[in-house]
Amino acid sequence: SLAIIQRAWTGDKFSYTGKFYDCKDVQLNVVPVQKPSPPIHIAVLRNEVAPFVGAQQFPMMMIPYATTERLEELQETTASY
């Protein structure tokens, strides 16, 4: 779904077919002012997702009380990002 949103924000007409979504000839009437797109931050609710977020080069947000049981896990998650 993130790929669809990013593509829509360009303002170009596009189609997308994937495992969960199918969009045909979609084009936004109003596009974001920010170029190339508004900032995107990814919330990490499971520590093992951090490497994926880092690989995509998105800023990561963490909720320590929801994602960790030990303080050391924060360091591990940040390092794996």
Side-chain angles (χ1 to χ4, degrees):
S1 58
L2 183 55
I4 295 170
I5 292 168
Q6 289 179 293
R7 186 70 189 268
W9 280 346
T10 68
D12 300 330
K13 185 181 281 191
F14 73 98
S15 296
Y16 177 91
T17 301
K19 184 176 179 179
F20 298 104
Y21 302 102
D22 187 23
C23 308
K24 300 286 185 214
D25 298 325
V26 175
Q27 185 174 21
L28 294 181
N29 292 326
V30 178
V31 295
V33 174
Q34 299 96 327
K35 298 296 178 200
S37 71
I40 298 171
H41 295 75
I42 305 296
V44 174
L45 297 178
R46 292 184 7 225
N47 294 323
E48 59 270 17
V49 178
F52 172 79
V53 175
Q56 302 298 315
Q57 298 183 348
F58 288 111
M60 178 177 71
M61 298 185 305
M62 295 171 47
I63 304 170
Y65 64 84
T67 59
T68 60
E69 293 183 15
R70 299 175 294 111
L71 189 58
E72 295 80 21
E73 287 181 69
L74 295 176
Q75 183 178 9
E76 294 167 11
T77 301
T78 304
S80 68
Y81 166 77

